[in-house]
Amino acid sequence: MKDDRKKDLRMNITLDIQRFDPERDTEPRRQAYEVDVQPTDRVLDALMHIARHVDGTLAFRKSCAHGVCGSDAMRISGKERLACKTLIRDVAKKDGDVISIDPLNHMTVQKDLMVDQSVFLSKFRAVEPFLKPRKPLPFSSEFYQSPEDRAIIDEATKCINCGACYSACPVLDENPDFLGPAALVAAVRFVFDSRDEGLAARLDIVDQQNAVWSCDNHFECTKVCPREIKITKLINLTKRTIKKYKEGETDA
Ligand code: SF4
Ligand code: FES
């Protein structure tokens, strides 16, 4: 990470990281690493530097390094973010600043910043995130959708399953059975898909206390989503659509 041409732009900061090795630790502990960085380095660059040159035991996930795969979501300076999309200057301003790094909430820590996503992912499966066609699929041609109909579900299709919203959701602090924002975004994507049976096929799933009705409009999910999906708004739209459907005002 050293670049002598930009000496004046370098900062010496500390990453204060939650560590936990299930084979060694009974409780999480903290470990501080001093790193020499540029403000435009990403937090992921600093973590990679530590893992490659300072402490090879540090565990975290990453894959694409470009905000596409969602695998490096973590809490950086107290807020859920993607390490590959967070610049040092977003969370540290000067020499000596400390950046705290913690694993996502609401998932069991496997090691350091790596969390067990199995419950989180099982909630995706619970909403049946696949097309249930409202008419037989054409055998020899594509199942067309108008640009206008596609635009309705555009926002929900942007989800990268990073889990940031799931970690930030205060409802999950009290109710671990809540499906959570990410799974509900996946449900919304099909409820409003013009090619799908829509709400009718998913009423039993989304119209439940542990589904849309547990959302208390805290908006914490919306604040942290790296894809800027207006999650709370989509959940509220689904609540209104369910009410209209039950009152016979809409057929989906
Ligand atoms: S809705 Fe946003 S924060 Fe939640 S999993 Fe999808 S991309 Fe991540
Ligand atoms: S590593 Fe893929 S989103 Fe950051």
Side-chain angles (χ1 to χ4, degrees), residues 44 54 80 118 122 130 143 176 179 192 196 212 222 232:
L44 180 63
V54 182
E80 287 76 6
S118 50
S122 74
F130 45 81
F143 197 171
L179 283 180
F192 295 103
D196 195 89
V212 295
T222 303
T232 320

Side-chain angles (χ1 to χ4, degrees), residues 120 124 158-166 181-182 185 221 224-229 231:
F120 171 66
F124 273 94
K158 291 181 188 163
C159 177
I160 54 174
N161 301 4
C162 69
C165 55
Y166 191 82
V185 167
C221 54
V224 300
C225 176
R227 305 292 290 170
E228 298 183 349
I229 299 170
I231 305 168

Side-chain angles (χ1 to χ4, degrees), residues 231-248:
I231 305 168
T232 320
K233 186 176 146 199
L234 292 178
I235 295 171
N236 284 333
L237 174 65
T238 310
K239 287 179 182 174
R240 288 197 300 276
T241 307
I242 290 171
K243 280 185 183 160
K244 283 185 186 168
Y245 179 79
K246 288 181 152 181
E247 288 161 6

Side-chain angles (χ1 to χ4, degrees), residues 44-113:
L44 180 63
D45 298 323
L47 290 171
M48 298 283 292
H49 173 79
I50 293 168
R52 284 179 180 158
H53 303 291
V54 182
D55 183 349
T57 68
L58 180 64
F60 56 93
R61 283 199 182 90
K62 73 107 191 164
S63 181
C64 71
H66 286 87
V68 178
C69 72
S71 59
D72 64 342
M74 54 188 76
R75 286 182 292 138
I76 302 172
S77 292
K79 183 181 168 189
E80 287 76 6
R81 312 172 201 244
L82 299 178
C84 64
K85 297 292 281 182
T86 305
L87 300 183
I88 296 292
R89 71 181 180 202
D90 295 337
V91 282
K93 301 299 173 205
K94 58 183 188 317
D95 252 2
D97 277 0
V98 177
I99 302 172
S100 66
I101 313 266
D102 293 88
L104 293 181
N105 284 324
H106 306 137
M107 300 187 216
T108 306
V109 174
Q110 291 174 315
K111 187 167 189 269
D112 300 334
L113 304 171

